[in-house]
Short mmCIF file of all heavy atoms in Angstrom, two decimals:
data_model
loop_
_atom_site.label_atom_id
_atom_site.label_comp_id
_atom_site.label_asym_id
_atom_site.label_seq_id
_atom_site.Cartn_x
_atom_site.Cartn_y
_atom_site.Cartn_z
N LEU A 1 -1.11 -13.97 8.86
CA LEU A 1 -1.77 -13.53 7.64
C LEU A 1 -1.51 -12.05 7.36
O LEU A 1 -1.27 -11.64 6.24
CB LEU A 1 -3.28 -13.78 7.73
CG LEU A 1 -3.63 -15.29 7.63
CD1 LEU A 1 -5.06 -15.48 8.15
CD2 LEU A 1 -3.51 -15.79 6.19
N ILE A 2 -1.58 -11.21 8.42
CA ILE A 2 -1.26 -9.79 8.25
C ILE A 2 0.12 -9.59 7.75
O ILE A 2 0.36 -8.83 6.80
CB ILE A 2 -1.54 -9.03 9.59
CG1 ILE A 2 -3.01 -8.91 9.90
CG2 ILE A 2 -0.90 -7.59 9.49
CD1 ILE A 2 -3.31 -8.29 11.23
N MET A 3 1.09 -10.29 8.34
CA MET A 3 2.50 -10.14 7.92
C MET A 3 2.70 -10.68 6.50
O MET A 3 3.45 -10.03 5.71
CB MET A 3 3.42 -10.87 8.88
CG MET A 3 3.63 -10.17 10.21
SD MET A 3 4.13 -8.41 10.07
CE MET A 3 5.60 -8.57 9.04
N GLU A 4 2.02 -11.73 6.14
CA GLU A 4 2.15 -12.23 4.77
C GLU A 4 1.60 -11.23 3.75
O GLU A 4 2.22 -11.01 2.71
CB GLU A 4 1.40 -13.55 4.65
CG GLU A 4 1.52 -14.24 3.25
CD GLU A 4 2.90 -14.71 2.94
OE1 GLU A 4 3.73 -14.85 3.86
OE2 GLU A 4 3.18 -14.92 1.72
N ARG A 5 0.46 -10.64 4.10
CA ARG A 5 -0.08 -9.61 3.20
C ARG A 5 0.85 -8.39 3.11
O ARG A 5 1.05 -7.81 2.02
CB ARG A 5 -1.49 -9.21 3.71
CG ARG A 5 -2.11 -8.07 2.92
CD ARG A 5 -2.25 -8.39 1.42
NE ARG A 5 -2.70 -7.24 0.66
CZ ARG A 5 -1.88 -6.30 0.20
NH1 ARG A 5 -0.55 -6.41 0.35
NH2 ARG A 5 -2.35 -5.25 -0.46
N LEU A 6 1.42 -7.98 4.25
CA LEU A 6 2.31 -6.83 4.24
C LEU A 6 3.55 -7.10 3.37
O LEU A 6 4.07 -6.23 2.67
CB LEU A 6 2.75 -6.47 5.68
CG LEU A 6 1.67 -5.84 6.55
CD1 LEU A 6 2.12 -5.73 8.00
CD2 LEU A 6 1.24 -4.45 6.01
N ARG A 7 4.07 -8.33 3.46
CA ARG A 7 5.27 -8.67 2.65
C ARG A 7 4.98 -8.59 1.15
O ARG A 7 5.86 -8.39 0.34
CB ARG A 7 5.73 -10.06 3.00
CG ARG A 7 6.37 -10.16 4.43
CD ARG A 7 7.03 -11.49 4.72
NE ARG A 7 7.52 -11.56 6.06
CZ ARG A 7 6.89 -12.15 7.08
NH1 ARG A 7 5.66 -12.69 6.87
NH2 ARG A 7 7.41 -12.13 8.27
N MET A 8 3.69 -8.74 0.82
CA MET A 8 3.34 -8.61 -0.63
C MET A 8 3.51 -7.17 -1.11
O MET A 8 3.53 -6.89 -2.29
CB MET A 8 1.89 -9.07 -0.84
CG MET A 8 1.66 -10.51 -0.62
SD MET A 8 -0.13 -10.93 -0.87
CE MET A 8 -0.15 -12.61 -0.27
N ASN A 9 3.62 -6.24 -0.16
CA ASN A 9 3.84 -4.82 -0.53
C ASN A 9 5.31 -4.45 -0.50
O ASN A 9 5.65 -3.26 -0.73
CB ASN A 9 3.09 -3.91 0.43
CG ASN A 9 1.64 -3.72 0.03
OD1 ASN A 9 1.13 -4.34 -0.85
ND2 ASN A 9 0.92 -2.83 0.75
N SER A 10 6.19 -5.36 -0.18
CA SER A 10 7.61 -5.05 -0.02
C SER A 10 8.20 -4.43 -1.27
O SER A 10 8.94 -3.43 -1.17
CB SER A 10 8.41 -6.33 0.34
OG SER A 10 8.02 -6.83 1.62
N ASP A 11 7.87 -4.92 -2.41
CA ASP A 11 8.48 -4.42 -3.67
C ASP A 11 7.91 -3.06 -4.09
O ASP A 11 8.52 -2.36 -4.91
CB ASP A 11 8.27 -5.43 -4.82
CG ASP A 11 9.06 -6.72 -4.63
OD1 ASP A 11 10.02 -6.66 -3.81
OD2 ASP A 11 8.74 -7.70 -5.28
N ILE A 12 6.76 -2.68 -3.55
CA ILE A 12 6.16 -1.43 -3.96
C ILE A 12 5.99 -0.44 -2.80
O ILE A 12 5.36 0.58 -2.97
CB ILE A 12 4.79 -1.70 -4.66
CG1 ILE A 12 3.83 -2.46 -3.74
CG2 ILE A 12 4.95 -2.42 -5.97
CD1 ILE A 12 2.89 -1.62 -2.93
N LYS A 13 6.61 -0.76 -1.67
CA LYS A 13 6.36 0.09 -0.50
C LYS A 13 6.86 1.53 -0.70
O LYS A 13 6.35 2.48 -0.12
CB LYS A 13 6.96 -0.55 0.75
CG LYS A 13 8.45 -0.56 0.87
CD LYS A 13 8.86 -1.11 2.24
CE LYS A 13 10.39 -1.01 2.40
NZ LYS A 13 10.78 -1.42 3.78
N HIS A 14 7.91 1.70 -1.50
CA HIS A 14 8.41 3.03 -1.80
C HIS A 14 7.44 3.81 -2.69
O HIS A 14 7.59 5.02 -2.84
CB HIS A 14 9.78 2.96 -2.48
CG HIS A 14 9.79 2.18 -3.74
ND1 HIS A 14 9.61 0.78 -3.74
CD2 HIS A 14 9.97 2.54 -5.03
CE1 HIS A 14 9.66 0.37 -5.01
NE2 HIS A 14 9.86 1.39 -5.81
N GLN A 15 6.46 3.12 -3.24
CA GLN A 15 5.42 3.81 -4.09
C GLN A 15 4.09 3.94 -3.32
O GLN A 15 3.19 4.60 -3.83
CB GLN A 15 5.14 2.98 -5.33
CG GLN A 15 6.36 2.60 -6.14
CD GLN A 15 6.91 3.77 -6.99
OE1 GLN A 15 6.42 4.90 -6.85
NE2 GLN A 15 7.88 3.51 -7.82
N TRP A 16 4.03 3.39 -2.13
CA TRP A 16 2.77 3.26 -1.45
C TRP A 16 2.23 4.59 -0.89
O TRP A 16 1.01 4.81 -0.86
CB TRP A 16 2.83 2.20 -0.38
CG TRP A 16 1.46 1.75 0.11
CD1 TRP A 16 0.98 1.74 1.37
CD2 TRP A 16 0.41 1.22 -0.71
NE1 TRP A 16 -0.27 1.28 1.40
CE2 TRP A 16 -0.67 0.92 0.13
CE3 TRP A 16 0.27 0.95 -2.08
CZ2 TRP A 16 -1.85 0.38 -0.34
CZ3 TRP A 16 -0.91 0.40 -2.56
CH2 TRP A 16 -1.97 0.13 -1.69
N GLN A 17 3.10 5.46 -0.43
CA GLN A 17 2.62 6.75 0.08
C GLN A 17 1.88 7.53 -1.00
O GLN A 17 0.85 8.17 -0.76
CB GLN A 17 3.79 7.58 0.64
CG GLN A 17 4.35 7.04 1.91
CD GLN A 17 3.43 7.22 3.13
OE1 GLN A 17 2.43 7.90 3.04
NE2 GLN A 17 3.80 6.66 4.24
N ASP A 18 2.39 7.50 -2.23
CA ASP A 18 1.72 8.17 -3.34
C ASP A 18 0.38 7.51 -3.64
O ASP A 18 -0.64 8.19 -3.94
CB ASP A 18 2.57 8.11 -4.61
CG ASP A 18 3.80 9.03 -4.50
OD1 ASP A 18 3.81 9.94 -3.66
OD2 ASP A 18 4.79 8.77 -5.26
N ALA A 19 0.32 6.18 -3.50
CA ALA A 19 -0.96 5.46 -3.68
C ALA A 19 -2.00 5.90 -2.63
O ALA A 19 -3.14 6.14 -2.94
CB ALA A 19 -0.76 3.95 -3.67
N LEU A 20 -1.53 5.99 -1.38
CA LEU A 20 -2.44 6.42 -0.31
C LEU A 20 -2.97 7.84 -0.52
O LEU A 20 -4.14 8.15 -0.23
CB LEU A 20 -1.71 6.33 1.05
CG LEU A 20 -1.44 4.92 1.56
CD1 LEU A 20 -0.55 4.95 2.81
CD2 LEU A 20 -2.75 4.19 1.88
N ALA A 21 -2.10 8.69 -1.09
CA ALA A 21 -2.54 10.06 -1.37
C ALA A 21 -3.69 10.04 -2.42
O ALA A 21 -4.66 10.80 -2.29
CB ALA A 21 -1.38 10.89 -1.88
N LEU A 22 -3.56 9.20 -3.44
CA LEU A 22 -4.63 9.06 -4.43
C LEU A 22 -5.88 8.47 -3.84
O LEU A 22 -7.00 8.90 -4.14
CB LEU A 22 -4.11 8.22 -5.62
CG LEU A 22 -5.06 8.10 -6.81
CD1 LEU A 22 -5.44 9.42 -7.35
CD2 LEU A 22 -4.37 7.23 -7.88
N MET A 23 -5.72 7.51 -2.93
CA MET A 23 -6.86 6.87 -2.32
C MET A 23 -7.58 7.86 -1.39
O MET A 23 -8.76 7.68 -1.04
CB MET A 23 -6.40 5.67 -1.51
CG MET A 23 -5.91 4.52 -2.39
SD MET A 23 -4.84 3.32 -1.54
CE MET A 23 -5.99 2.63 -0.33
N SER A 24 -6.89 8.96 -0.98
CA SER A 24 -7.48 9.95 -0.08
C SER A 24 -8.44 10.93 -0.76
O SER A 24 -9.11 11.66 -0.09
CB SER A 24 -6.35 10.74 0.59
OG SER A 24 -5.59 9.92 1.46
N LEU A 25 -8.43 10.92 -2.08
CA LEU A 25 -9.36 11.81 -2.80
C LEU A 25 -10.77 11.41 -2.44
O LEU A 25 -11.11 10.24 -2.31
CB LEU A 25 -9.14 11.70 -4.27
CG LEU A 25 -7.76 12.17 -4.80
CD1 LEU A 25 -7.66 11.99 -6.29
CD2 LEU A 25 -7.48 13.61 -4.42
N ALA A 26 -11.61 12.45 -2.24
CA ALA A 26 -12.97 12.21 -1.69
C ALA A 26 -13.72 11.12 -2.40
O ALA A 26 -14.33 10.25 -1.79
CB ALA A 26 -13.75 13.53 -1.73
N GLY A 27 -13.66 11.10 -3.71
CA GLY A 27 -14.44 10.13 -4.47
C GLY A 27 -13.86 8.71 -4.37
O GLY A 27 -14.57 7.73 -4.69
N ASN A 28 -12.63 8.57 -3.92
CA ASN A 28 -11.94 7.28 -3.86
C ASN A 28 -12.05 6.63 -2.49
O ASN A 28 -11.77 5.44 -2.33
CB ASN A 28 -10.50 7.41 -4.26
CG ASN A 28 -10.31 7.85 -5.71
OD1 ASN A 28 -11.27 7.70 -6.52
ND2 ASN A 28 -9.15 8.34 -6.04
N ILE A 29 -12.37 7.40 -1.46
CA ILE A 29 -12.34 6.92 -0.08
C ILE A 29 -13.29 5.73 0.13
O ILE A 29 -12.86 4.72 0.75
CB ILE A 29 -12.59 8.04 0.90
CG1 ILE A 29 -11.40 9.00 0.94
CG2 ILE A 29 -12.84 7.49 2.33
CD1 ILE A 29 -11.62 10.22 1.76
#
């Protein structure tokens, strides 16, 4: 299940670091 969920991020993984940065904002954590 973990691997299946990770594969769902395959097409957007090059965008994911930017998403994590936005998620790191105090109000979003």
Side-chain angles (χ1 to χ4, degrees):
L1 289 163
I2 289 174
M3 286 308 304
E4 182 67 19
R5 174 60 187 87
L6 289 171
R7 290 188 184 97
M8 294 178 189
N9 276 8
S10 294
D11 291 343
I12 57 94
K13 70 175 186 174
H14 57 292
Q15 307 285 6
W16 195 236
Q17 289 289 352
D18 289 340
L20 289 172
L22 184 56
M23 292 160 65
S24 294
L25 297 179
N28 295 342
I29 289 173

